[in-house]
Amino acid sequence: MSETDSNPETETEAFGSAPIDTSSGPDTTAEFPLQVDGLRKSFGGITAVDGATFQVESGTLTGLIGPNGAGKSTTFNLITGMLKPDTGTVTFNDEDITGMEPHEIANKGLVRTFQIARELEDMTVLENMMLAPKHQRGEKLWRSVLPGVRGEVIEQEEELLERVWEVLEFFEIDHIAEEYAGNLSGGQRKLLEMARALLTDPDMLLLDEPFAGVNPSLEKRLLTHIHELREQGYTFLLVEHDMDLIMENCEHVIVLHQGRVLTEGTPADIKSNEEVIEAYLGGNV
Ligand SMILES: Nc1ncnc2c1ncn2[C@@H]1O[C@H](COP(=O)(O)OP(=O)(O)OP(=O)(O)O)[C@@H](O)[C@H]1O
Ligand SMILES: [Mg+2]
């Protein structure tokens, strides 16, 4: 490794003064990074996902909506490897990732946010960030170094710390870096969850009801961050029950009903779609 390569200062300068390093944004070139085809999953007698087929366009904030029990969370679990499908395929960046382990899928750049686990509540925000799983893709940010070469390991930790602070600042939670995760408000937790996910250096993020229990001002902040990241090229698939929020923020909406795609289109298409209204009404409202 040359002198220049091993100089953390050089890396730091490359970050510039932008709120977040865009060079660490997605590299994806696929027009539709996520493709789900004929996905099916049953639990005993219940078919939770019943042939779901859809794709998500690169750089969009796409909404995945549907009534309670439509199969949205199960679909997320199938995409991210938490569950194995009975049949069907999941393709990410033109690679078949069906049946891969969650960490393999995350390493490929497809991540979902996770609630802060109980054991992490006794650690600070900063410690939570330092413990977040790191991406192991290429040498873009975390140059892979051979263990045992002390100087290089320290350098890698410095780079990690640099990136951690950058992400904390981006989500405006750097001022609570020393706070215990267990003391955070619902909204601050969501910001930390997103920050941890971003640290894995993903191309695409799956968000399952990220605004639940978040107060309106933090919800607005979280949405602003999502839009900023989308503009940098990140792709989002968002499950959310608040129709107004979906309609105002997503450019494309996929409607899941009884485990399959009922319809999809722009928010305006979906809003006026009789089948969608019917699926949601289900007799009441
Ligand atoms: N592990 C499981 N075992 C048995 N049934 C399950 C399991 N997970 C989900 N289901 C069932 O599968 C169906 C789809 O559930 P899922 O959680 O995917 O729906 P959802 O669209 O996320 O709903 P919500 O909007 O309420 O979060 C439901 O009938 C649910 O009860
Ligand atoms: Mg759900």
Side-chain angles (χ1 to χ4, degrees), residues 43 46 48 66-75 209 241:
F43 299 104
I46 299 165
N68 291 117
K72 305 178 296 292
S73 296
T74 306
T75 299
E209 304 193 35
H241 279 288

Side-chain angles (χ1 to χ4, degrees), residues 39-87:
L39 218 51
R40 192 167 269 112
K41 180 74 184 178
S42 296
F43 299 104
I46 299 165
T47 303
V49 178
D50 192 12
T53 300
F54 61 87
Q55 51 186 7
V56 178
E57 190 176 353
S58 180
T60 61
L61 171 49
T62 295
L64 180 66
I65 66 168
N68 291 117
K72 305 178 296 292
S73 296
T74 306
T75 299
F76 268 21
N77 287 333
L78 293 170
I79 293 171
T80 53
M82 310 296 292
L83 289 173
K84 310 287 177 221
D86 298 335
T87 55

